[in-house]
Amino acid sequence: MTISFEGRVAIVTGAGGGLGRDYALELARRGAKVVVNDLGGSRDGMGASDSALKVVEEIEALGGEAMANGGSVTEYEQMVEMAARVKERWGGIHILVNNAGILRDKSFSKMDPVDFETVVKVHLTGAAFATKAVWDTMREQAYGRILMTSSSTGLFGNFGQTNYGGAKLGVAGMTKTLYLEGAKYNIRVNTLAPVAATRLTEDIFPEAAFAAFSPEKVVPAALYLVSEDAPTNAIVGAGGGAFHCSWVTMNPPVVLPEDEQTLEGFAAAWNRISDRIGDFVPQSGGEQSGVILNALAAALKG
């Protein structure tokens, strides 16, 4: 089976290098028209370059069709303008890969609030702005595939990356509501947590691991998650040719008797409350309330 993107228009943010570049190139190889969005700044978001134009040239050398865009994901008007130009040129927007990102790592005690705000604005607000700019088009055409880029830092934590981790768990949270709102319009939304050797991680990986975690080894997961037969609401990890899924789970509620609904009662029951036996994956936030109500009703009957 060959998965094709013929007839699809894809926007990849942060596509001037690293993972975004590899996504853009493979989408183009498989027939998509690709918008290469990138400011061309350094990994802390400073400066600019013509990196997007260079990727467009690579795509055109392969016989593909692409356009460069230098709009900032942190400026909503620029994302709206990008979407309008794409729609005018190619008639639609079928795929959005939210990949743009920067790093400003420091321990929380040493982190300047501006560095916290800036990283959150690029990763979280930027993903929201880019998604909002294409959302109505995807609804109108009853087709959309959106990929959010999270991180193991967001899902599990990492020292010195409070800003990055907060933003990256935030995009996973956006996925969990957008997939519900997009379902009847055939818009599928997924989250990818990649592990790749890029300029954002070049001083984190040892040299041997840097080669093993080349960006192209993440591409199969990313492209599947924006393909026609993609799942929705998945959280997928990818790196070095290994792939896994992650889930947000809850366990069955422990209903405390009336006289134990105190601080001391909660403390005494903590081992039962935190026991993961029987945990499951809710499909929406409302399910939590429903499970609690059912547990309360069962306790009253029992």
Side-chain angles (χ1 to χ4, degrees):
M1 179 185 68
T2 299
I3 297 177
S4 172
F5 290 89
E6 287 286 344
R8 301 302 186 197
V9 176
I11 297 173
V12 183
T13 67
L19 286 166
R21 170 183 171 273
D22 280 28
Y23 299 158
L25 288 171
E26 188 62 21
L27 283 164
R29 287 189 190 101
R30 292 176 177 267
K33 296 178 175 65
V34 182
V35 181
V36 180
N37 165 265
D38 205 302
L39 278 172
S42 62
R43 76 174 188 171
D44 65 358
M46 303 301 288
S49 73
D50 59 355
S51 57
L53 286 171
K54 291 178 179 177
V55 177
V56 169
E57 290 171 0
E58 289 186 79
I59 290 172
E60 291 175 344
L62 295 169
E65 194 170 351
M67 62 184 288
N69 178 270
S72 171
V73 296
T74 64
E75 301 295 334
Y76 179 59
E77 293 77 12
Q78 293 182 25
M79 291 296 94
V80 170
E81 182 182 5
M82 175 182 68
R85 288 183 178 180
V86 175
K87 191 173 180 182
E88 180 181 6
R89 179 169 173 179
W90 287 324
I93 301 168
H94 307 98
I95 295 164
L96 170 65
V97 179
N98 284 304
N99 174 72
I102 63 170
L103 287 179
R104 294 189 181 180
D105 294 352
K106 281 185 181 177
S107 64
F108 193 61
S109 63
K110 297 178 181 177
M111 185 177 293
D112 191 303
V114 172
D115 288 336
F116 190 98
E117 183 179 36
T118 301
V119 168
V120 170
K121 191 169 184 180
V122 172
H123 290 275
L124 180 57
T125 308
F129 283 175
T131 300
K132 176 65 175 174
V134 305
W135 189 256
D136 285 348
T137 295
M138 290 182 172
R139 279 167 44 112
E140 290 164 5
Q141 65 198 15
Y143 187 95
R145 299 291 183 266
I146 298 171
L147 185 62
M148 300 290 183
T149 302
S150 186
S151 166
S152 59
T153 297
L155 299 175
F156 312 116
N158 195 31
F159 189 93
Q161 291 192 311
T162 310
N163 49 4
Y164 185 70
K168 286 307 193 183
L169 190 55
V171 297
M174 277 203 301
T175 294
K176 292 194 163 295
T177 290
L178 288 174
Y179 101 91
L180 293 169
E181 294 188 7
K184 72 176 182 178
Y185 302 102
N186 190 24
I187 300 174
R188 302 180 190 182
V189 191
N190 292 291
T191 300
L192 180 67
V195 182
T198 68
R199 65 176 181 166
L200 294 190
T201 58
E202 62 187 354
D203 55 358
I204 297 173
F205 285 117
E207 189 173 341
F210 198 84
F213 286 97
S214 57
E216 63 264 21
K217 294 188 177 182
V218 174
V219 172
L223 264 63
Y224 176 69
L225 293 174
V226 295
S227 67
E228 185 168 352
D229 294 328
T232 193
N233 191 33
I235 301 174
V236 176
F243 307 93
H244 68 87
C245 285
S246 299
W247 295 269
V248 177
T249 69
M250 66 174 285
N251 60 358
V254 174
V255 179
L256 298 179
E258 191 78 27
D259 61 351
E260 294 179 22
Q261 294 176 19
T262 63
L263 170 57
E264 292 74 18
F266 181 91
W270 174 246
N271 286 340
R272 288 186 293 141
I273 293 168
S274 61
D275 193 327
R276 293 198 61 181
I277 293 176
D279 67 353
F280 60 97
V281 182
Q283 296 305 301
S284 72
E287 196 169 333
Q288 179 193 26
S289 301
V291 169
I292 291 174
L293 287 171
N294 289 338
L296 291 172
L300 288 172
K301 289 181 181 178

